[in-house]
Amino acid sequence: MTLLEIKPIAHPLNATVRVPGSKSLTNRALLIASLANGTTRLTNALFSDDSRYFAGALQTLGFDVQLDEANREMSVAGLGGKIPLSKAELFIGNAGTAARFLSAFLTLGKGEFILDGDARMRERPIGDLVDALATLARSLKR
């Protein structure tokens, strides 16, 4: 196994990253923006059912998320890894990326979160992720 050392940047970033119109990349950018400190503006964002569900879930969790479909822009006020609410029910339709990212992201919160989707989403294979998160939760309780 090869290990990759990741060193956090110790100073504020002032950068521009052009994200192609992709639901997967847009959801990744939304997640990263919510983990950052301060407001992140996403340009050329793809407005799909998946990205709308993801943005809506962040709003339900208490994040300030602004959507401007006409200009293909989104902004997220990130809270440095903190989730504002301690209880929320999130509906993500059939958005697989949102399900996977939010499942892991919600482990940063303190409280009770329900993540649900439509009937098709409930059939999708995320058992390995759920098992890994359950193992993590058990190890943290020790």
Side-chain angles (χ1 to χ4, degrees):
M1 176 196 299
T2 303
L3 297 178
L4 172 66
E5 184 179 357
I6 298 174
K7 294 182 181 181
I9 297 171
H11 56 81
L13 284 178
N14 183 10
T16 300
V17 178
R18 182 160 175 78
V19 177
S22 156
K23 67 182 180 183
S24 179
L25 292 176
T26 297
N27 283 348
R28 283 173 169 78
L30 284 168
L31 175 67
I32 292 166
S34 67
L35 289 167
N37 279 313
T39 299
T40 300
R41 185 172 63 97
L42 309 176
T43 59
N44 196 34
L46 180 70
F47 282 82
S48 65
D49 285 346
D50 286 27
S51 59
R52 285 185 193 95
Y53 279 125
F54 199 107
L58 291 176
Q59 290 169 328
T60 300
L61 289 168
F63 288 92
D64 180 11
V65 178
Q66 302 298 317
L67 306 176
D68 181 354
E69 286 198 46
N71 291 308
R72 297 185 342 195
E73 293 183 355
M74 301 177 177
S75 70
V76 180
L79 300 172
K82 294 180 181 75
I83 296 176
L85 298 182
S86 60
K87 187 172 188 172
E89 292 186 28
L90 310 174
F91 182 80
I92 49 142
N94 193 29
T97 305
R100 287 169 179 81
F101 291 170
L102 288 169
S103 295
F105 178 67
L106 291 172
T107 64
L108 297 174
K110 295 183 180 2
E112 181 178 313
F113 303 99
I114 297 171
L115 182 60
D116 197 10
D118 62 21
R120 178 67 186 114
M121 184 69 235
R122 292 183 194 132
E123 296 172 0
R124 294 180 72 169
I126 63 167
D128 289 343
L129 173 60
V130 173
D131 292 345
L133 293 173
T135 300
L136 174 64
R138 283 191 299 275
S139 70
L140 292 176
K141 287 182 181 179
R142 294 179 187 160

